[in-house]
Amino acid sequence: MIKMNTAHCAEHFQAAPWFILGGGAMGCLWAYDLSPNSIILVKPERYRHYTSGSTKSLITTQLAYQQTPFASPNTRKCKLANIQNYTSPILKLIVTTKAQDTVAALETIQHTLHSHAHILLLQNGMGSQQAVKKQFPEYTLWCGSTTQGAYTTDFLHVVHAGLGQTCIGPWYISTETNPRYSAIFQQQLITQGQQVIFIDDILPLLWRKLAVNACVNGLTVLFECKNGELLTHPKHLKWVKTLCQETAQFLDYKRIAYTKPLFQHVCHVLEQTAENYSSTYMDVSHQRSTELMYINGFILSEAKRLGLSLPTHTTLMAQLAEKGIF
């Protein structure tokens, strides 16, 4: 951890670059919108492959962006840093890694984090946020939930598949946090291009997003289908309905308010994203580990702690495990 010289601190914080930890679709989307003041942090093997073995710790390259799947790509300058030997201080960080990779990824760059660093976590599910707070209590943490849709066609080439908004709220604000830094952090994110809203209490929104994912993602893998097919097949829809009933019961027990019945909301999401494949489906199709332990798995662990039985969630996870999906 790096200490900051107190002279001109706010000015330094304002001018500091935005670092993106995680070079996937969401990471590229944020890097593009924050360009030219953004730096994507990547693993050494990816960095060496992309730079043909460069020994430099930082290069300037091009990031391609398509506003829609059929639009011509635009490019902006973007910096790429090798996390293995990059040592310049990090003040503003957005983490877009998979939930299961978040803590380990932060550990690799902890030596470059300022003592006053602000970190925005943008992970699916829950559990990783709590782990980061426990492991890194000295930093100011923010959490976000997004409805943006994006995918990559190649490294540093992102397609903005669906416009949405990102809600961000404080997760852990230490007593040492300078309120001027927080104000700068918020203002720069609000003005960067994407629709960003800051709210005081992010936790209920994270729970609601988790509830939708828990009723959708695992089923798309179990039945190997697009989101919309969960609505059109009676057997699939029965699973959705039962999962929604159990999840709504769980949310009620946790006293998490919902603006509309969960099943109604999930059906609306499935209609809006009918032609999409869930992120979990995409992980499985690319032979990557999934975030299900931070979605249905997190709900089940919380339910067990509360003495609640969620048999359909349990059955779903068991059937996926039989297929080697975790």
Side-chain angles (χ1 to χ4, degrees):
M1 181 172 65
I2 300 173
K3 297 288 184 179
M4 184 188 293
N5 189 322
T6 55
H8 307 297
C9 283
E11 291 83 357
H12 182 58
F13 189 91
Q14 182 156 358
W18 282 89
F19 288 84
I20 316 295
L21 185 58
M26 283 299 157
C28 287
L29 198 61
W30 284 97
Y32 183 85
D33 285 326
L34 291 163
S35 176
N37 201 31
S38 59
I39 299 175
I40 300 177
L41 298 158
V42 296
K43 294 178 180 179
E45 55 272 21
R46 171 60 69 89
Y47 184 86
R48 287 193 293 268
H49 177 76
Y50 183 78
T51 62
S52 301
S54 173
T55 57
K56 295 180 180 180
S57 62
L58 182 73
I59 63 164
T60 299
T61 185
Q62 296 289 324
L63 176 59
Y65 166 86
Q66 289 178 240
Q67 189 171 13
T68 68
F70 306 104
S72 298
N74 297 315
T75 60
R76 289 182 182 176
K77 285 186 178 179
C78 171
K79 294 183 176 66
L80 205 65
N82 184 342
I83 62 173
Q84 188 175 53
N85 56 11
Y86 186 81
T87 58
S88 295
I90 295 175
L91 272 167
K92 297 174 294 196
L93 176 67
I94 300 175
V95 184
T96 61
T97 59
K98 293 290 184 180
Q100 63 268 27
D101 301 328
T102 303
V103 170
L106 283 168
E107 286 175 341
T108 63
I109 62 164
Q110 189 172 10
H111 63 286
T112 65
L113 289 173
H114 259 300
S115 57
H116 294 291
H118 283 236
I119 302 172
L120 169 60
L121 303 173
L122 292 171
Q123 277 67 49
N124 276 330
M126 290 181 68
S128 62
Q129 302 91 340
Q130 291 85 345
V132 170
K133 178 182 176 182
K134 182 179 180 180
Q135 188 88 357
F136 306 96
E138 61 270 45
Y139 304 114
T140 297
L141 302 177
W142 304 79
C143 286
S145 176
T146 188
T147 57
Q148 297 279 12
Y151 61 89
T152 55
T153 59
D154 199 356
F155 184 53
L156 300 184
H157 189 145
V158 63
V159 179
H160 203 165
L163 295 175
Q165 70 176 22
T166 302
C167 293
I168 300 171
W171 187 253
Y172 176 72
I173 308 296
S174 75
T175 55
E176 302 298 319
T177 299
N178 187 324
R180 291 186 66 189
Y181 300 164
S182 296
I184 293 169
F185 186 86
Q186 294 180 59
Q187 185 59 33
Q188 289 187 347
L189 286 177
I190 288 171
T191 58
Q192 47 62 52
Q194 295 186 40
Q195 186 177 356
V196 173
I197 299 172
F198 276 84
I199 58 179
D200 293 330
D201 187 4
I202 191 67
L203 188 57
L205 187 59
L206 294 179
W207 274 115
R208 291 193 286 268
K209 176 73 175 296
L210 174 71
V212 173
N213 286 341
C215 298
V216 173
N217 289 27
L219 292 180
T220 64
V221 176
L222 183 66
F223 298 121
E224 300 179 359
C225 67
K226 293 180 179 180
N227 290 356
E229 292 176 71
L230 294 178
L231 289 174
T232 57
H233 289 70
K235 178 185 173 182
H236 302 359
L237 187 59
K238 184 178 179 180
W239 269 86
V240 174
K241 188 171 185 178
T242 308
L243 282 173
C244 285
Q245 289 170 345
E246 286 188 6
T247 308
Q249 175 193 3
F250 171 77
L251 293 176
D252 288 343
Y253 201 93
K254 294 281 293 184
R255 297 183 179 179
I256 305 296
Y258 228 92
T259 54
K260 64 172 68 173
L262 181 58
F263 180 62
Q264 179 183 344
H265 180 58
V266 168
C267 288
H268 176 73
V269 170
L270 292 174
E271 289 171 357
Q272 294 297 308
T273 62
E275 293 302 312
N276 296 358
Y277 289 102
S278 73
S279 60
T280 305
Y281 181 99
M282 296 304 294
D283 286 337
V284 173
S285 67
H286 288 92
Q287 299 182 318
R288 299 187 294 248
S289 61
T290 77
E291 296 172 302
L292 285 171
M293 289 307 298
Y294 294 85
I295 302 174
N296 301 76
F298 185 81
I299 288 177
L300 283 170
S301 65
E302 280 290 292
K304 182 178 180 180
R305 186 178 64 83
L306 297 170
L308 289 177
S309 175
L310 303 177
T312 310
H313 281 277
T314 302
T315 300
L316 172 62
M317 292 295 280
Q319 290 192 16
L320 290 171
E322 288 176 2
K323 299 177 71 171
I325 299 167
F326 301 96

